[in-house]
Short mmCIF file of all heavy atoms in Angstrom, two decimals:
data_model
loop_
_atom_site.label_atom_id
_atom_site.label_comp_id
_atom_site.label_asym_id
_atom_site.label_seq_id
_atom_site.Cartn_x
_atom_site.Cartn_y
_atom_site.Cartn_z
N GLY O 240 -186.78 -221.02 -155.80
CA GLY O 240 -187.63 -221.71 -154.84
C GLY O 240 -187.15 -221.64 -153.41
O GLY O 240 -187.78 -222.21 -152.51
N THR O 241 -186.06 -220.92 -153.16
CA THR O 241 -185.54 -220.77 -151.81
C THR O 241 -186.33 -219.71 -151.05
O THR O 241 -186.58 -218.62 -151.57
CB THR O 241 -184.05 -220.35 -151.84
OG1 THR O 241 -183.30 -221.33 -152.54
CG2 THR O 241 -183.49 -220.21 -150.44
N LEU O 242 -186.72 -220.03 -149.84
CA LEU O 242 -187.40 -219.07 -148.98
C LEU O 242 -186.37 -218.42 -148.08
O LEU O 242 -185.66 -219.10 -147.34
CB LEU O 242 -188.46 -219.77 -148.13
CG LEU O 242 -189.29 -218.86 -147.22
CD1 LEU O 242 -190.19 -217.95 -148.05
CD2 LEU O 242 -190.12 -219.69 -146.24
N VAL O 243 -186.27 -217.11 -148.14
CA VAL O 243 -185.28 -216.39 -147.34
C VAL O 243 -185.97 -215.31 -146.51
O VAL O 243 -187.06 -214.86 -146.84
CB VAL O 243 -184.16 -215.75 -148.20
CG1 VAL O 243 -183.42 -216.80 -148.98
CG2 VAL O 243 -184.76 -214.70 -149.14
N TYR O 244 -185.29 -214.95 -145.45
CA TYR O 244 -185.74 -213.88 -144.58
C TYR O 244 -184.81 -212.70 -144.77
O TYR O 244 -183.59 -212.85 -144.93
CB TYR O 244 -185.70 -214.37 -143.13
CG TYR O 244 -185.68 -213.25 -142.12
CD1 TYR O 244 -186.87 -212.67 -141.69
CD2 TYR O 244 -184.48 -212.76 -141.62
CE1 TYR O 244 -186.86 -211.62 -140.78
CE2 TYR O 244 -184.46 -211.72 -140.71
CZ TYR O 244 -185.64 -211.16 -140.29
OH TYR O 244 -185.63 -210.13 -139.40
N CYS O 245 -185.34 -211.49 -144.77
CA CYS O 245 -184.47 -210.31 -144.87
C CYS O 245 -185.05 -209.16 -144.06
O CYS O 245 -186.25 -209.04 -143.88
CB CYS O 245 -184.24 -209.89 -146.32
SG CYS O 245 -185.74 -209.54 -147.27
N SER O 246 -184.15 -208.34 -143.55
CA SER O 246 -184.51 -207.17 -142.76
C SER O 246 -183.31 -206.24 -142.77
O SER O 246 -182.34 -206.46 -143.50
CB SER O 246 -184.85 -207.58 -141.32
OG SER O 246 -183.67 -207.96 -140.62
N ARG O 247 -183.37 -205.20 -141.97
CA ARG O 247 -182.22 -204.31 -141.86
C ARG O 247 -181.07 -204.96 -141.09
O ARG O 247 -179.98 -204.39 -141.02
CB ARG O 247 -182.63 -203.00 -141.19
CG ARG O 247 -183.63 -202.20 -142.02
CD ARG O 247 -183.97 -200.86 -141.39
NE ARG O 247 -185.02 -200.19 -142.14
CZ ARG O 247 -184.82 -199.48 -143.25
NH1 ARG O 247 -183.59 -199.35 -143.71
NH2 ARG O 247 -185.82 -198.90 -143.87
N TYR O 248 -181.32 -206.15 -140.51
CA TYR O 248 -180.31 -206.83 -139.71
C TYR O 248 -179.79 -208.09 -140.37
O TYR O 248 -178.73 -208.60 -140.00
CB TYR O 248 -180.88 -207.16 -138.32
CG TYR O 248 -181.46 -205.96 -137.63
CD1 TYR O 248 -182.83 -205.70 -137.66
CD2 TYR O 248 -180.63 -205.07 -136.96
CE1 TYR O 248 -183.36 -204.58 -137.04
CE2 TYR O 248 -181.16 -203.95 -136.33
CZ TYR O 248 -182.52 -203.71 -136.37
OH TYR O 248 -183.05 -202.59 -135.76
N GLU O 249 -180.54 -208.64 -141.30
CA GLU O 249 -180.15 -209.85 -142.01
C GLU O 249 -180.41 -209.64 -143.50
O GLU O 249 -181.48 -209.19 -143.88
CB GLU O 249 -180.94 -211.07 -141.52
CG GLU O 249 -180.81 -211.36 -140.04
CD GLU O 249 -179.50 -212.06 -139.70
OE1 GLU O 249 -178.75 -212.41 -140.64
OE2 GLU O 249 -179.23 -212.26 -138.51
N ASN O 250 -179.44 -209.99 -144.34
CA ASN O 250 -179.61 -209.83 -145.79
C ASN O 250 -180.10 -208.42 -146.14
O ASN O 250 -181.06 -208.23 -146.89
CB ASN O 250 -180.59 -210.87 -146.33
CG ASN O 250 -180.15 -212.29 -146.04
OD1 ASN O 250 -178.96 -212.60 -146.08
ND2 ASN O 250 -181.10 -213.15 -145.72
N GLU O 251 -179.42 -207.43 -145.58
CA GLU O 251 -179.87 -206.04 -145.73
C GLU O 251 -179.92 -205.60 -147.18
O GLU O 251 -180.82 -204.84 -147.58
CB GLU O 251 -178.95 -205.10 -144.93
CG GLU O 251 -179.41 -203.65 -144.96
CD GLU O 251 -178.49 -202.72 -144.20
OE1 GLU O 251 -177.38 -203.17 -143.83
OE2 GLU O 251 -178.86 -201.55 -144.00
N ASP O 252 -178.95 -206.05 -148.00
CA ASP O 252 -178.97 -205.63 -149.40
C ASP O 252 -180.21 -206.16 -150.12
O ASP O 252 -180.85 -205.44 -150.89
CB ASP O 252 -177.69 -206.07 -150.12
CG ASP O 252 -177.48 -207.58 -150.12
OD1 ASP O 252 -178.15 -208.27 -149.33
OD2 ASP O 252 -176.62 -208.06 -150.89
N LEU O 253 -180.59 -207.40 -149.83
CA LEU O 253 -181.80 -207.96 -150.44
C LEU O 253 -183.04 -207.23 -149.93
O LEU O 253 -183.99 -206.99 -150.68
CB LEU O 253 -181.89 -209.45 -150.13
CG LEU O 253 -183.09 -210.20 -150.70
CD1 LEU O 253 -183.13 -210.10 -152.22
CD2 LEU O 253 -183.06 -211.67 -150.27
N PHE O 254 -183.04 -206.87 -148.66
CA PHE O 254 -184.17 -206.15 -148.07
C PHE O 254 -184.35 -204.80 -148.76
O PHE O 254 -185.46 -204.45 -149.20
CB PHE O 254 -183.90 -205.96 -146.57
CG PHE O 254 -185.00 -205.26 -145.82
CD1 PHE O 254 -186.20 -205.90 -145.56
CD2 PHE O 254 -184.82 -203.97 -145.35
CE1 PHE O 254 -187.21 -205.27 -144.85
CE2 PHE O 254 -185.82 -203.32 -144.64
CZ PHE O 254 -187.03 -203.97 -144.40
N LYS O 255 -183.28 -204.04 -148.91
CA LYS O 255 -183.40 -202.70 -149.50
C LYS O 255 -183.63 -202.76 -151.00
O LYS O 255 -184.14 -201.79 -151.59
CB LYS O 255 -182.15 -201.88 -149.17
CG LYS O 255 -182.08 -201.49 -147.70
CD LYS O 255 -180.92 -200.55 -147.42
CE LYS O 255 -180.93 -200.10 -145.96
NZ LYS O 255 -179.79 -199.19 -145.65
N ALA O 256 -183.26 -203.86 -151.63
CA ALA O 256 -183.56 -204.02 -153.05
C ALA O 256 -185.00 -204.44 -153.27
O ALA O 256 -185.63 -204.06 -154.26
CB ALA O 256 -182.61 -205.05 -153.67
N THR O 257 -185.55 -205.23 -152.34
CA THR O 257 -186.93 -205.69 -152.48
C THR O 257 -187.93 -204.57 -152.24
O THR O 257 -188.94 -204.46 -152.93
CB THR O 257 -187.20 -206.86 -151.51
OG1 THR O 257 -186.30 -207.93 -151.82
CG2 THR O 257 -188.62 -207.35 -151.61
N LEU O 258 -187.67 -203.74 -151.23
CA LEU O 258 -188.51 -202.56 -151.02
C LEU O 258 -188.30 -201.64 -152.22
O LEU O 258 -187.22 -201.11 -152.43
CB LEU O 258 -188.12 -201.85 -149.72
CG LEU O 258 -188.30 -202.66 -148.42
CD1 LEU O 258 -187.82 -201.84 -147.23
CD2 LEU O 258 -189.75 -203.08 -148.23
N CYS O 259 -189.31 -201.46 -152.99
CA CYS O 259 -189.26 -200.73 -154.27
C CYS O 259 -188.43 -201.50 -155.30
O CYS O 259 -187.69 -200.90 -156.08
CB CYS O 259 -188.70 -199.31 -154.09
SG CYS O 259 -189.20 -198.22 -155.45
N GLY O 260 -188.59 -202.83 -155.30
CA GLY O 260 -187.91 -203.66 -156.29
C GLY O 260 -188.80 -204.10 -157.43
O GLY O 260 -188.38 -204.85 -158.29
#
Side-chain angles (χ1 to χ4, degrees):
T241 301
L242 182 68
V243 300
Y244 161 85
C245 57
S246 72
R247 295 183 186 278
Y248 306 97
E249 302 282 354
N250 302 323
E251 183 181 11
D252 60 345
L253 181 59
F254 182 71
K255 290 186 176 179
T257 300
L258 298 178
C259 202

